[in-house]
């Protein structure tokens, strides 16, 4: 049976990690892997998470199964965090939430739900988008198409082209949107653009699927979900995949959720029965430990306050690197052409340079990033930001 399977090429990011590890230059810089790093280069366990974990362990008396839906208190807290307490979709009992194994699990269950409800629907994904969106959604059997979103070379959002493309999508199609901190571009929609998009989705009867993996990494917990709340307030059907990998640093614990907004309370119940069946048919139940930590933290006002402060610390560290990198690039290139880095949001930006420059940065300067020139700003430290900027200037000048 297995003779039919040829060896696949390793994942590009894994290949990059291997090369980075093998590089013994003391100046090497990893801008490839998409995890937050503190000033020591660590991906820390947040102090509030440590304390919540201790409380969970002290209180836990069984490891028996929870349920396909996961923890109810986690799911309700997620809805409040994402949609806010007084949101009309919640007041109308039109929301149902499933705890899922990370944002990836939520995206996959969402894709299976779409496939069950509308097998011929196309999912429109942004160009560019996070590399994993394609296999996660596509392997459910759904057709995917790209809509223009960001011009990396010009460092510009392609909003008009995006609207124009989506205007031609047939009713019932799905539009995957990055709720905030677009990965890989760092270019987010402004409030007026969310409103224009809402108008289009309403008119064209398109269903938004919002991927919310970085709540709190852009401008703050509430500011980052303004677009999500607006969309979920005015549209009858919405899917939202959330992740607590980044904002709680719970990466390996696999904590996420799928929120589904339906047209009515009874529709929501019907939809949820399918969501639960899909979860059971893939992995039966989500892992509990990380969600128990998150639920404990969300419910405890003191832990939650600490979280808000630690999250602000992570956000500000990234913002500072954005400001510093843009400043140093200005100094080393003598132009403002990289100023866009300062104004974008979240962990990533696209340098917007050809692959030859990316290769030169790696081979000559030991700076590693994916071939699309995506940089993880949290991979830069105050002590090497000048080095990175000068290397970029040199690599670009040699191109
Ligand atoms: C855009 C986007 N969506 C979803 C995820 C899902 O993350 P996880 O499955 O680790 O929670 C990520 C993680 O990198 C992401 O960047």
């Amino acid at each position: 049976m297995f003779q039919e399977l040829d060896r696949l090429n390793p994942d590009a990011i894994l290949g990059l990690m291997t090369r980075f590890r093998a590089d013994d230059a003391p100046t090497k810089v990893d801008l490839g892997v998409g995890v937050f790093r503190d000033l020591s280069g660590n991906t820390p366990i947040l102090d509030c998470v440590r304390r919540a974990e201790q409380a969970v362990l002290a209180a836990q008396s069984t490891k028996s199964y929870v349920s396909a839906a996961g923890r109810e208190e986690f799911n309700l807290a997620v809805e409040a965090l994402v949609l806010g307490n007084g949101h009309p979709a919640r007041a109308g009992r039109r929301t149902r939430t499933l705890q899922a194994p990370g944002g990836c699990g939520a995206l996959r269950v969402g894709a299976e739900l779409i496939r069950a409800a509308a097998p011929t629907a196309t999912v429109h994904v942004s160009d560019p988008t996070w590399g994993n969106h394609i296999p996660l959604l596509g392997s459910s059997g759904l057709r995917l198409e790209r809509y223009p979103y960001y011009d990396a070379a010009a460092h510009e959002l392609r909003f008009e082209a995006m609207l124009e493309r989506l205007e031609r999508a047939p009713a019932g199609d799905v539009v995957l949107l990055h709720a905030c901190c677009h990965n890989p571009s760092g270019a987010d929609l402004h409030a007026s653009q969310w409103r224009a998009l809402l108008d289009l989705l309403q008119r064209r009867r398109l269903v938004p699927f919002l991927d919310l993996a970085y709540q709190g990494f852009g401008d703050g917990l509430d500011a980052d979900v303004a677009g999500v709340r607006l969309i979920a307030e005015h549209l009858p059907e919405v899917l939202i995949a959330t992740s607590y990998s980044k904002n709680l640093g719970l990466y390996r614990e696999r904590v996420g959720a799928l929120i589904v907004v339906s047209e009515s309370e009874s529709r929501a119940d019907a939809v949820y029965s399918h969501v639960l069946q899909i979860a059971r048919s893939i992995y039966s139940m989500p892992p509990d430990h990380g969600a128990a930590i998150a639920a404990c933290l969300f419910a405890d006002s003191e832990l939650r306050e600490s979280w808000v402060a630690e999250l602000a610390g992570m956000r500000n560290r990234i913002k500072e690197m954005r400001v510093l990198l843009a400043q140093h690039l200005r100094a080393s290139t003598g132009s403002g052409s990289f100023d866009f880095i300062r104004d974008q949001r979240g962990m990533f930006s696209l340098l917007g340079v050809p692959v030859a420059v990316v290769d030169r940065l790696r081979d000559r300067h030991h700076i590693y990033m994916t071939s699309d020139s995506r940089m993880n700003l949290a991979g830069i430290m105050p002590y090497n930001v000048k080095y990175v900027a000068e290397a970029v200037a040199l690599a670009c000048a040699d191109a």
Side-chain angles (χ1 to χ4, degrees):
M1 177 171 68
F2 296 145
Q3 281 170 352
E4 299 301 313
L5 297 180
D6 292 329
R7 193 186 176 119
L8 297 173
N9 289 329
D11 192 89
I13 196 91
L14 296 182
L16 197 70
M17 280 164 74
T18 309
R19 289 182 77 166
F20 180 78
R21 262 187 248 115
D23 186 339
D24 48 22
T27 50
K28 68 180 177 179
V29 187
D30 175 14
L31 305 184
V33 180
V35 296
F36 174 80
R37 292 188 198 282
D38 63 16
L39 289 172
S40 326
N42 290 328
T43 302
I45 301 178
L46 301 185
D47 184 55
C48 56
V49 164
R50 234 185 240 290
R51 286 190 284 137
E53 183 167 39
Q54 279 158 5
V56 165
L57 290 175
Q60 201 163 57
S61 59
T62 178
K63 293 284 187 190
S64 182
Y65 295 120
V66 181
S67 76
R71 287 183 170 261
E72 198 186 353
E73 73 273 26
F74 169 83
N75 292 337
L76 292 175
V78 162
E79 281 191 19
L81 188 66
V82 173
L83 295 175
N85 278 324
H87 195 279
R90 293 186 72 214
R93 303 178 59 81
R94 299 191 293 112
T95 54
R96 297 290 180 277
T97 297
L98 174 91
Q99 179 194 320
C104 289
L107 285 163
R108 184 54 190 264
V109 172
E112 296 292 339
L113 177 67
I114 295 163
R115 175 102 174 123
T120 58
T122 294
V123 181
H124 300 261
V125 300
S126 65
D127 179 17
T129 198
W130 179 48
N132 228 6
H133 276 150
I134 311 295
L136 272 173
L137 304 177
S139 51
S140 66
L142 287 166
R143 219 169 77 84
L144 303 183
E145 257 181 44
R146 290 175 192 272
Y147 59 84
Y149 184 78
Y150 182 76
D151 182 338
H155 320 302
E156 268 173 17
L157 205 66
R158 301 182 63 197
F159 189 62
E160 290 310 314
M162 170 183 175
L163 292 186
E164 198 182 297
R165 179 68 55 84
L166 293 179
E167 195 72 57
R168 287 186 269 125
D173 270 6
V174 176
V175 184
L176 186 78
L177 299 161
H178 297 231
C180 65
C181 306
H182 186 274
N183 180 2
S185 74
D188 286 344
L189 300 182
H190 298 303
S192 62
Q193 291 169 324
W194 277 111
R195 281 192 295 276
L197 182 61
L198 167 68
D199 172 67
L200 184 151
L201 296 169
Q202 255 173 336
R203 257 188 315 101
R204 301 293 309 149
R205 300 175 61 81
L206 300 171
V207 179
F209 190 171
L210 292 141
D211 184 5
L212 176 58
Y214 298 94
Q215 187 178 2
F217 266 54
D219 288 314
L221 282 171
D222 287 320
D224 289 352
V225 286
V228 175
R229 290 179 181 175
L230 178 79
I231 296 271
E233 184 174 341
H234 295 284
L235 289 181
E237 296 179 346
V238 181
L239 293 94
I240 307 165
T242 75
S243 162
Y244 299 92
S245 298
K246 312 292 153 84
N247 58 11
L248 280 171
L250 284 169
Y251 306 85
R252 67 173 65 168
E253 301 292 358
R254 313 308 298 133
V255 191
L258 177 71
I259 304 173
V260 186
V261 180
S262 304
E263 203 169 17
S264 65
E265 188 175 352
S266 60
R267 272 291 105 213
D269 286 332
V271 168
Y272 201 48
S273 68
H274 285 266
V275 169
L276 294 176
Q277 194 186 53
I278 290 164
R280 280 192 75 77
S281 72
I282 308 178
Y283 52 80
S284 185
M285 294 178 197
D288 177 62
H289 188 64
I293 295 171
C296 167
L297 189 150
F298 293 150
D300 181 307
S301 56
E302 197 268 317
L303 287 174
R304 201 185 166 105
E305 235 172 73
S306 308
W307 176 47
V308 170
E310 286 187 82
L311 184 57
M314 293 196 280
R315 177 170 66 244
N316 291 335
R317 146 125 177 79
I318 298 169
K319 286 197 170 186
E320 272 164 35
M321 286 307 110
R322 288 188 171 281
V323 170
L324 278 181
L325 183 63
Q327 266 172 14
H328 283 291
L329 279 166
R330 209 170 234 276
S332 54
T333 62
S335 84
S337 51
F338 290 105
D339 283 358
F340 68 92
I341 292 171
R342 185 193 52 210
D343 305 323
Q344 293 180 337
R345 293 285 180 278
M347 287 209 304
F348 306 110
S349 279
L350 291 166
L351 206 44
V353 296
V355 178
V357 175
V358 173
D359 291 347
R360 200 167 301 130
L361 280 166
R362 185 188 60 234
D363 298 339
R364 292 196 194 157
H365 304 282
H366 312 277
I367 296 170
Y368 290 73
M369 61 183 79
T370 45
S371 57
D372 57 355
S373 73
R374 187 190 79 164
M375 297 179 293
N376 174 7
L377 277 298
I380 304 179
M381 304 293 151
Y383 68 80
N384 65 16
V385 60
K386 185 161 181 270
Y387 169 75
V388 171
E390 285 171 356
V392 169
L394 284 172
C396 288
D398 286 351

